[in-house]
Amino acid sequence: MANFSKSNAPRFSVDVYQNEYLPEGGREVDAIVTVTATGGGTVGGAVAAPHLYAPGQGPSAAVAVMVDCSGSMDYPPTKMRNARDATSAAIDTLRDGVHFCVIGGTHVAKEVYPGGGRLAVADATTREQAKLALRKLSAGGGTAIGTWLRLADRLLSSADVAIRHGILLTDGRNEHESPEDLKATLDACAGRFTCDARGVGTDWEVKELTAVSSALLGTADIVADPAGLAADFTRMMETAMGKEVADVALRLWTPAGSTVKFVKQVAPAVEDLTGRRTEATARAGDYPTGSWGDESRDYHVCVEVSPAGLGQEMLAARVSLVVPRPDGGVRDLGAQGLVRAVWTDDLTASTSINPQVAHYTGQAELAQAIQQGLELRKAGDVDGATAKLGRAVQLAGSSGNADTAKLLAKVVDVVDAAAGTVRLKAKVEEADEMTLETRSTKTVRVKK
């Protein structure tokens, strides 16, 4: 896929954490699968500097930056200026040789740089040209995010590269296209490029933005103060420049008589992949995980097996990693993990929950409790919201998720964290509520 030397490519490993013991008649097998990529040209998950690679080294990549230019970007006027500065900072972070473009988004999408339905190749000259073109950006018009993504897809697909990535910035709701149109666009773009989405200010819709990042296997976040955009865009682009292998799929093989109940990414954020399975063989399916640099992620796999007799053992699932080959086949990345089931009458063995599984089950419940609590709060159901957000406070505390606990404390007054006793705050800053909702799926890793 990528045009970089094998020695520079990350090596993948798979570790499985589970309690394999089931009681007599037990059918459900849970495991946490940790996938780690190491030894690529990256440092701590992001490229140390764009010049880390010599030109032509590192994976070939194309990046599209989509900047909201709707009328609301003029209120306050600093918002558009900060968006221009942030895009300039992102362009400065591009590695030499990376293909790129800038798209201005309103109710239509237009090419800001380089234009002509093509991509520029990053070097000192094109970076300066792009930054000059950004100065002409002005605010006016509506918002139709799907049109921006379709143009990005068209431009990104024009380059024969290993990594395709989008960065999308919006400050408003997607008012000039139907939810069905956006959904159709996301379905069409899924698997073609990854995309990080950012909402600036507080007039945008969290669910719209997280739908984009979820479908396109990127990240979503809020930048409540436009002054923080440049730092955020730089970090995003550094991470994008650190990606070295695209289209990695988690392949799950299960024996006859077994079914996969769910596959969820659980760290660094909760993302349900169950519905994205594509059949690979009669007994195996692939779950997309997007692009990888030097990083580690955790997945919760749950398989339902046919029960066997006491003392018997079976392979409940085999986990491997594959990437597409140009000829339409796949290449195995050489990492494998085994999920086992052993039936026992030892009550202690069969009833103890693996600490990894317990931790991430709690983290998934935490994300759900926050989202449900905020929905109930918006609907005016004080008792329901208090119960759900109280449970969220309890889970955040018991799992050591300090960042989420801090965000929750801006929405509720915590009376007793351990018991989950809280009171809804009478007045909550909109930015605090949106930050909590946007980051509700972010998890902390269990200490191994």
Side-chain angles (χ1 to χ4, degrees):
M1 282 279 295
N3 64 355
F4 53 98
S5 68
K6 283 276 195 289
S7 61
N8 221 18
R11 284 180 298 281
F12 284 84
S13 63
V14 172
D15 294 294
V16 175
Y17 301 89
Q18 69 164 138
N19 173 17
E20 62 262 43
Y21 293 104
L22 296 177
E24 188 172 9
R27 302 175 69 93
E28 211 160 282
V29 185
D30 285 282
I32 298 300
V33 176
T34 298
V35 178
T36 306
T38 52
T42 54
V43 181
V47 168
H51 57 262
L52 188 76
Y53 293 98
Q57 283 192 338
S60 56
V63 180
V65 184
M66 293 159 268
V67 185
D68 191 336
C69 297
S70 61
S72 55
M73 284 293 286
D74 250 351
Y75 304 98
T78 50
K79 206 192 283 180
M80 194 74 216
R81 192 165 67 239
N82 282 304
R84 279 195 294 262
D85 291 348
T87 307
S88 292
I91 287 165
D92 278 335
T93 315
L94 285 166
R95 214 171 47 238
D96 276 353
V98 168
H99 296 68
F100 77 102
C101 65
V102 179
I103 292 167
T106 59
H107 50 286
V108 292
K110 56 178 186 284
E111 297 174 51
V112 174
Y113 183 82
R118 61 197 174 84
L119 297 169
V121 177
D123 60 24
T125 305
T126 55
R127 282 192 201 92
E128 283 312 308
Q129 286 172 350
K131 288 191 282 187
L132 275 172
L134 282 171
R135 290 186 197 168
K136 300 187 191 116
L137 281 189
S138 59
T143 306
I145 290 170
T147 65
W148 317 353
L149 292 166
R150 284 189 187 269
L151 178 56
D153 180 36
R154 197 158 68 243
L155 293 170
L156 290 171
S157 64
S158 70
D160 182 17
V161 292
I163 308 283
R164 293 184 180 87
H165 191 79
I167 288 176
L168 183 148
L169 173 73
T170 185
D171 82 323
R173 292 175 178 83
N174 199 39
E175 287 168 341
H176 292 81
E177 109 188 300
S178 70
E180 294 75 25
D181 283 349
L182 179 58
K183 170 82 170 64
T185 295
L186 293 175
D187 289 345
C189 294
R192 293 174 59 78
F193 65 100
T194 53
C195 185
D196 294 322
R198 294 295 183 267
V200 61
T202 56
D203 292 329
W204 49 279
E205 191 63 54
V206 173
K207 284 184 178 59
E208 283 174 358
L209 210 65
T210 52
V212 171
S213 65
S214 173
L216 304 182
L217 298 171
T219 62
D221 208 352
I222 180 174
V223 186
D225 180 354
L229 277 173
D232 188 73
F233 265 47
T234 303
R235 274 194 305 273
M236 268 196 292
M237 191 63 90
E238 281 174 350
T239 304
M241 291 295 94
K243 300 296 183 186
E244 299 186 274
V245 184
D247 304 324
V248 178
L250 199 66
R251 175 163 289 185
L252 216 59
W253 174 92
T254 49
S258 301
T259 49
V260 178
K261 286 198 79 176
F262 63 77
V263 176
K264 290 176 187 169
Q265 179 185 287
V266 286
V270 178
E271 187 64 64
D272 194 344
L273 302 175
T274 315
R276 303 197 192 180
R277 175 185 172 107
T278 53
E279 299 306 320
T281 66
R283 303 259 25 102
D286 291 346
Y287 299 85
T289 69
S291 303
W292 287 70
D294 267 23
E295 59 190 299
S296 184
R297 305 180 203 167
D298 292 337
Y299 299 87
H300 186 171
V301 172
C302 180
V303 179
E304 194 169 76
V305 295
S306 301
L310 291 174
Q312 286 198 278
E313 178 177 341
M314 75 176 280
L315 180 61
R318 184 169 59 239
V319 183
S320 58
L321 300 165
V322 295
V323 291
R325 285 199 318 249
D327 63 7
V330 295
R331 179 164 68 87
D332 195 302
L333 291 173
Q336 185 175 280
L338 304 177
V339 180
R340 293 187 169 84
V342 182
W343 284 267
T344 179
D345 56 4
D346 179 335
L347 204 61
T348 313
S350 67
T351 54
S352 71
I353 298 178
N354 173 274
Q356 303 264 25
V357 172
H359 173 81
Y360 285 125
T361 303
Q363 293 286 287
E365 189 193 341
L366 169 60
Q368 195 176 29
I370 290 169
Q371 288 160 14
Q372 290 173 341
L374 292 175
E375 284 286 329
L376 291 165
R377 187 180 170 278
K378 281 177 198 157
D381 182 347
V382 173
D383 291 346
T386 304
K388 287 289 180 191
L389 294 173
R391 176 64 177 147
V393 166
Q394 190 179 33
L395 287 163
S398 63
S399 66
N401 197 329
D403 287 348
T404 300
K406 265 186 222 142
L407 295 175
L408 278 160
K410 292 182 175 181
V411 176
V412 295
D413 291 314
V414 180
V415 180
D416 182 342
T421 311
V422 301
R423 278 191 304 270
L424 295 189
K425 285 187 186 288
K427 190 172 186 326
V428 176
E429 292 292 331
E430 196 170 10
D432 290 335
E433 187 176 0
M434 288 177 73
T435 303
L436 175 61
E437 188 181 353
T438 310
R439 297 181 187 169
S440 61
T441 57
K442 286 187 170 33
T443 56
V444 286
R445 299 193 88 166
V446 63
K447 292 184 173 58
K448 306 258 194 326

